[in-house]
Amino acid sequence: SYAAWILVNNLKIHNDPIKKDLVNKIVNYIISQQNEDGSWFYFDKDQRDNTDNFIDNFHTCFVLENLFLIWKWNKDERLKKSIEKGFKFFKKSFINNDFSVRYYYYYPNPTGIKVDIRSCAETIFCCALLSEIFPESLELSTKIAEWTINNMLDSDGYYYFRIYRTHKHRMPYMRWGQAPMFNALTYLSLKLKERNNG
């Protein structure tokens, strides 16, 4: 999905039929890989058995985000239906009643992970981004941000990496926690400002 979005950005500058065809092929592949419930496996579902595959939070976000950005470019109704189906699954399967978020929907072995900061960050960003077609998801993004700040933010100002069933992993990873949260909260702030000024 990232590859297709990079190609779309290039197409906005230079309309190359070969790149356009490649975008369509990638999008067709992604839609074909979507499960009946709206989810996507991490690996190709036709090449990996379910015992060697998984469905997780932030990779699902990546797919939804990139498909949405591609849809804004081509307005393909089939693509929008895929996004709607995927986002419905995402909300039902990854967002808990208290607005914490799950890391895995499906993983073949127990992990003990309850909450992962990258999942929190990407869910905040994804819900804020998709609020352009699902307006109610901006409020959802805000509530998830509040939960994350209240439960994952250290008094020194950094975000914990993970909450396991037995303990918190408090390492302040830049790539996995601090940078994605900075990006997510900044984007959410911009979307809230747009709404309030609208």
Side-chain angles (χ1 to χ4, degrees):
S1 65
Y2 270 119
W5 172 231
I6 289 167
L7 288 168
V8 166
N9 275 322
N10 187 270
L11 282 164
K12 290 177 180 179
I13 300 164
H14 176 66
N15 189 16
D16 180 345
I18 294 172
K19 289 187 178 71
K20 192 170 184 178
D21 183 57
L22 187 53
V23 169
N24 290 333
K25 286 178 179 176
I26 294 170
V27 168
N28 288 339
Y29 170 75
I30 294 168
I31 291 173
S32 76
Q33 285 290 305
Q34 189 170 26
N35 296 310
E36 190 59 38
D37 63 4
S39 65
W40 286 275
F41 280 107
Y42 180 78
F43 297 110
D44 185 302
K45 67 179 182 178
D46 301 317
Q47 295 181 2
R48 294 279 188 114
D49 188 84
N50 287 4
T51 58
D52 191 31
N53 216 337
F54 61 88
I55 300 168
D56 75 324
N57 179 303
F58 61 86
H59 289 101
T60 302
C61 287
F62 294 161
V63 174
L64 287 169
E65 292 158 10
N66 289 314
L67 291 185
F68 169 72
L69 294 169
I70 295 164
W71 172 80
K72 284 185 70 175
W73 168 72
N74 68 10
K75 300 298 184 185
D76 183 334
E77 194 58 32
R78 192 172 60 108
L79 185 50
K80 189 176 182 186
K81 287 179 180 175
S82 175
I83 296 164
E84 289 170 347
K85 189 176 180 180
F87 193 54
K88 183 178 180 181
F89 164 82
F90 181 80
K91 289 190 297 181
K92 180 181 73 173
S93 304
F94 286 109
I95 301 173
N96 299 317
N97 291 334
D98 64 352
F99 302 106
S100 63
V101 295
R102 291 175 62 184
Y103 184 23
Y104 288 112
Y105 170 71
Y106 169 77
Y107 197 82
N109 303 302
T111 66
I113 303 168
K114 289 183 70 177
V115 182
D116 172 86
I117 193 61
R118 185 63 190 267
S119 297
C120 295
E122 215 55 47
T123 301
I124 293 165
F125 181 83
C126 185
C127 288
L129 179 69
L130 267 61
S131 68
E132 292 184 36
I133 51 174
F134 308 114
E136 71 283 358
S137 70
L138 190 59
E139 184 65 24
L140 192 56
S141 178
T142 304
K143 290 183 180 298
I144 294 162
E146 289 171 354
W147 185 93
T148 305
I149 290 166
N150 290 333
N151 293 275
M152 300 288 279
L153 181 63
D154 190 85
S155 58
D156 285 342
Y158 66 86
Y159 288 92
Y160 302 140
F161 177 46
R162 283 180 178 162
I163 298 175
Y164 289 86
R165 296 191 185 281
T166 56
H167 66 284
K168 285 184 179 178
H169 186 325
R170 300 172 187 268
M171 183 68 73
Y173 294 112
M174 185 60 68
R175 177 185 176 191
W176 295 108
Q178 315 322 305
M181 279 301 297
F182 181 79
N183 180 63
L185 294 176
T186 301
Y187 189 75
L188 173 59
S189 296
L190 288 171
K191 297 301 285 186
L192 289 170
K193 186 176 181 182
E194 285 176 11
R195 183 190 67 180
N196 295 335
N197 291 340

